[in-house]
Amino acid sequence: MTRPDATSDPSTPARPPHSDAAAALPLSTRDGLAPIAVPGGHAGALVGGDLATVIRRVAIPAVASNLLMTLFASVDAYWVGMHVGALGLAAVSTAIFWIWMAVSVAEMVGIGLTAVAARRHGERRPEEAARTAGDAIVLAVVLGLAVAVVGELAVDRLFAIMHTSPEVTALGRTYLRTYLLGAPLMFGYFAVDAAFRASGNTRTPFVLLAISVAVTLVLDPVLILGLWGAPPLGVAGAAVATVATRSVACVLGVTLLMRRGLVRFGRPRGAAIASIVRIGLPTAATGVFFSFVYVFLTRTTTQFGTPALAALGLGHRIESWVYMIALGFGATAAAVVGQNLGAGRVDRATRAGWVSVGYGSIPGLALAATMLLAPEAVAGWFTADAAVIAETARYLRIASVSMLVLCSEVVLEGALGGAGATVAPMVVSMSLTAARLPLAVLLSAHWGAAGLWWAISATAAARGVAMAVLWRSGRWKRNKV
């Protein structure tokens, strides 16, 4: 493990609070040293102590939060797959690609806020961090409203682009429309979560999410199947359960942030919002582009039938167990890197990325082995359709290759985001993701659906290697936030 740090990198002195770099955002007239909510610590608690211990302490609640989300998604897939059928799975899978696009816009705010607020906490400027969090929450809600309106107007065209069958389109359109109704508060939740994490507090969002998921797990079968006198809503019930509980979590989160002094609302400041967008936009663009690629991959997948379309969605849900673990370590790395750069601890920020990758890779290796050795058993948890099980098992065997380096991609992309370096990851990720389309067409022409799965796995593995190269290069150390 890493030894405790006693000194910062002598080549990179700590920034004084009023240096030009620190003044990248407007100063608050009420800057002070009020304590912030960090598990067992105080403002800037991520810049001292044993690095491995700090990462574990902050990452465990973050990972637990993400696994709760994955648990819900898996249970959601179970109810839809077992009680609505393969058409329901295919419908939710196709709608999910558009939801990813919407979520990418929400992540723009979350990533930008994490980088800016974590840097302010590291500079011992909690009042400025709180004010920025307020600006970010307002921005997130407004963006969510815009996405909801645009999505409602364009929903028919969105499914027409994917060339899905009429049955899949009808179910998917219902799911997507229902989900988008809650977009404003769903987006707000991303900003609330980022405000807590930027301060080093991952426990509170974990508790909020735990309550949200627990309620959703009960609502899911009730609304999907129509239990206890509720109307049977089918796939729409799954969306209603998610939207309702996550919206309540957003409102509770804002209340807790205000009580703890981690958010302050006022007239939105253009400079602060511009900084959030500038940092988060490249990552959002990557996510939007990623979703578009999958929309067009879906057009290729549909030629192999509903089982392949369902397998594409199920495969992603199964992979998401490792992805969400990695995302928890990535969020931790973003907060640790941001605070340490704000405190001038460049050496410690550098090691934080590698240590986080090391921890996150352990479950990736375990899932890769499971996907390789027992894919049919894993697929059978979600569906009884023999054709879907067979195709999903083939997807999982091939995807086990990319599981070996998935954590490197996700964690180091988070670490780079915490440093405010999001343009280079965007360019690399978009280039490799774009390569999936010609690869998918070429390989599927020779190997059928398996060619699609190989195109996805190979490019995912390449992104993991590329992020490691970017982090090792050290160019992110010169970014100003």
Side-chain angles (χ1 to χ4, degrees):
M1 293 302 174
T2 311
R3 63 175 177 80
D5 290 289
T7 60
S8 61
D9 185 346
S11 65
T12 310
R15 294 189 185 114
H18 300 290
S19 69
D20 290 339
L25 292 180
L27 288 170
S28 167
T29 57
R30 299 173 58 188
D31 282 347
L33 294 175
I36 63 172
V38 178
H42 49 80
L46 305 184
V47 302
D50 178 68
L51 182 59
T53 301
V54 168
I55 289 173
R56 288 197 304 269
R57 172 171 55 83
V58 178
I60 288 174
V63 169
S65 294
N66 288 341
L67 287 180
L68 280 174
M69 294 177 68
T70 307
L71 172 64
F72 163 70
S74 297
V75 172
D76 196 55
Y78 167 81
W79 287 113
V80 172
M82 290 297 188
H83 296 280
V84 181
L87 284 175
L89 277 176
V92 172
S93 297
T94 51
I96 282 292
F97 299 141
W98 294 112
I99 290 172
W100 283 354
M101 192 173 299
V103 167
S104 296
V105 179
E107 286 180 337
M108 174 185 71
V109 182
I111 290 167
L113 174 58
T114 298
V116 176
R119 190 72 65 95
R120 298 297 88 88
H121 283 304
E123 295 168 350
R124 297 295 200 271
R125 298 168 59 198
E127 287 288 329
E128 177 60 28
R131 189 68 180 83
T132 303
D135 292 333
I137 291 173
V138 172
L139 174 62
V141 172
V142 171
L143 288 174
L145 181 61
V147 167
V149 172
V150 172
E152 174 62 27
L153 295 175
V155 66
D156 292 331
R157 185 178 297 273
L158 298 181
F159 281 91
I161 291 173
M162 294 187 288
H163 294 176
T164 50
S165 69
E167 298 83 4
V168 170
T169 296
L171 291 172
R173 185 172 51 201
T174 298
Y175 183 88
L176 182 59
R177 270 183 168 152
T178 306
Y179 188 96
L180 290 177
L181 286 175
L185 290 181
M186 295 280 282
F187 275 42
Y189 181 79
F190 277 82
V192 167
D193 186 75
F196 279 116
R197 293 179 190 273
S199 74
N201 181 351
T202 52
R203 291 180 183 175
T204 299
F206 168 70
V207 172
L208 286 173
L209 191 62
I211 296 172
S212 172
V213 169
V215 174
T216 307
L217 291 178
V218 175
L219 283 179
D220 229 15
V222 170
L223 297 178
I224 291 173
L225 304 179
L227 304 178
W228 303 340
L233 299 178
V235 293
V240 170
T242 301
V243 166
T245 52
R246 211 57 54 82
S247 296
V248 171
C250 174
V251 175
L252 290 176
V254 170
T255 302
L256 292 174
L257 285 170
M258 293 178 69
R259 288 181 178 178
R260 300 178 186 185
L262 291 175
V263 65
R264 286 177 52 234
F265 292 100
R267 184 176 180 178
R269 303 168 303 165
I273 290 174
S275 293
I276 292 169
V277 172
R278 174 177 57 82
I279 293 171
L281 185 58
T283 302
T286 302
V288 169
F289 183 77
F290 182 88
S291 300
F292 266 123
V293 167
Y294 266 88
V295 165
F296 287 99
L297 275 178
T298 299
R299 294 178 61 161
T300 305
T301 307
T302 53
Q303 67 182 297
F304 300 108
T306 298
L309 202 55
L312 180 63
L314 271 185
H316 275 290
R317 287 186 184 271
I318 293 166
E319 286 178 300
S320 68
W321 282 91
V322 168
Y323 179 84
M324 295 304 273
I325 291 173
L327 206 61
F329 280 101
T332 298
V336 174
V337 168
Q339 285 202 14
N340 280 276
L341 289 177
R345 305 295 303 275
V346 180
D347 59 330
R348 184 177 171 89
T350 302
R351 285 183 286 113
W354 296 123
V355 173
S356 298
V357 169
Y359 279 127
S361 295
I362 297 172
L365 295 174
L367 183 62
T370 303
M371 289 165 60
L372 185 63
L373 299 175
E376 290 87 0
V378 176
W381 295 343
F382 303 97
T383 180
D385 188 300
V388 175
I389 289 175
E391 195 59 63
T392 303
R394 182 159 56 167
Y395 177 102
L396 294 177
R397 283 195 182 95
I398 294 171
S400 64
V401 175
S402 62
M403 284 295 99
L404 299 176
V405 291
L406 174 65
C407 189
S408 173
E409 175 198 351
V410 178
V411 173
L412 293 179
E413 189 170 14
L416 289 162
T422 51
V423 174
M426 175 193 71
V427 172
V428 170
S429 185
M430 288 176 67
S431 299
L432 291 171
T433 301
R436 285 182 174 176
L437 291 176
L439 272 178
V441 172
L442 176 65
L443 297 182
S444 64
H446 292 280
W447 299 332
L452 289 173
W453 313 151
W454 275 113
I456 293 171
S457 184
T459 51
R463 287 203 310 260
V465 174
M467 292 303 162
V469 171
L470 287 176
W471 187 254
R472 185 176 178 81
S473 73
R475 294 181 181 178
W476 50 271
K477 299 175 184 178
R478 298 191 290 270
N479 271 69
K480 294 183 179 181
V481 174

